[in-house]
């Protein structure tokens, strides 16, 4: 519990200085240079089910870093991001993850996963749900920066 609080505090400190905006009809939480975000408030906005595999809420979107939360509902095919590193802190749940040619690796609440830009990754089955993840992207990841390892999986993923 103390470790979790320390990590969340660290992530909050990292977030200071970034400009936030929120989705889901909420007004921006931060001014231009500082702020505090209650992550639990945004986790509570994530729906129990969705027609797709993922629901993502962007909290902070700055040139050099971004912060989001997302809930995984199903498998996400192998893909990578060309322009940003990712640091994923699992808030709730447990799932299989694949990173490059390793996997499945099981990660759950309290675990931090990370990879650099260009590193292929995806997730397999959700073992315990909901799977809620706090993500720090450096540089902030453009939503279109998703490159599918097998382009045919994009159609399958988008049809979910």
């Amino acid at each position: 519990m103390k470790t979790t609080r320390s990590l969340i505090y660290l992530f909050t400190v990292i977030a200071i200085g970034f400009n936030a905006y929120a989705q889901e009809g909420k007004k921006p939480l931060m001014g231009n240079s500082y702020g505090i975000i209650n992550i639990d408030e945004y986790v509570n906005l994530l729906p129990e089910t969705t027609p797709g595999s993922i629901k993502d809420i962007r909290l902070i979107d700055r040139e050099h870093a971004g912060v989001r939360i997302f809930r995984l509902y199903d498998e996400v095919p192998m893909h990578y991001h060309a322009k940003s590193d990712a640091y994923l802190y699992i808030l709730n749940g447990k799932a299989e993850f694949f990173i490059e040619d390793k996997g499945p690796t099981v990660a759950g609440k309290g675990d931090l996963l990370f990879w650099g830009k260009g590193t292929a990754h995806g997730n397999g089955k959700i073992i315990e749900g909901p799977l809620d993840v706090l993500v720090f992207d450096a540089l902030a990841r453009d939503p279109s920066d998703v490159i599918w390892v097998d382009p045919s999986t994009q159609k399958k993923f988008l049809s979910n």
Side-chain angles (χ1 to χ4, degrees):
M1 183 73 160
K2 189 173 184 178
T3 301
T4 300
R5 277 191 228 160
S6 297
L7 283 171
I8 290 173
Y9 175 76
L10 173 65
F11 292 149
T12 302
V13 169
I14 291 169
I16 290 175
F18 296 100
N19 185 25
Y21 71 89
Q23 296 178 350
E24 307 297 328
K26 290 187 113 178
K27 293 182 179 179
L29 296 176
M30 289 202 231
N32 289 332
S33 62
Y34 63 90
I36 296 174
I37 295 174
N38 185 301
I39 299 301
D40 289 338
E41 287 181 18
Y42 285 91
V43 169
N44 291 332
L45 293 174
L46 296 167
E48 291 298 318
T49 62
T50 188
S53 296
I54 187 170
K55 174 65 177 156
D56 191 317
I57 299 175
R58 290 178 173 275
L59 302 173
I60 299 171
D61 208 10
R62 300 273 294 184
E63 179 183 357
H64 298 288
V67 179
R68 356 181 228 118
I69 60 166
F70 65 75
R71 179 171 284 171
L72 288 174
Y73 300 90
D74 202 353
E75 296 179 17
V76 177
M78 294 293 284
H79 63 284
Y80 62 94
H81 310 289
K83 298 179 181 174
S84 65
D85 297 347
Y87 304 85
L88 285 69
Y89 180 74
I90 300 179
L91 299 167
N92 298 300
K94 185 184 290 187
E96 295 177 334
F97 289 87
F98 298 86
I99 303 170
E100 290 292 339
D101 59 352
K102 297 190 174 37
T105 298
V106 175
K109 182 177 180 172
D111 288 331
L112 177 70
L113 291 86
F114 59 95
W115 45 79
K117 65 183 176 183
T119 303
H121 59 279
N123 77 283
K125 67 180 177 179
I126 308 296
I127 298 167
E128 294 174 14
L131 186 72
D132 299 324
V133 181
L134 178 64
V135 184
F136 294 84
D137 296 309
L139 305 170
R141 188 176 67 74
D142 184 303
S144 67
D145 183 18
V146 178
I147 300 143
W148 302 98
V149 171
D150 175 356
S152 69
T153 61
Q154 177 181 5
K155 290 181 184 176
K156 178 184 176 210
F157 179 73
L158 295 176
S159 67
N160 283 341

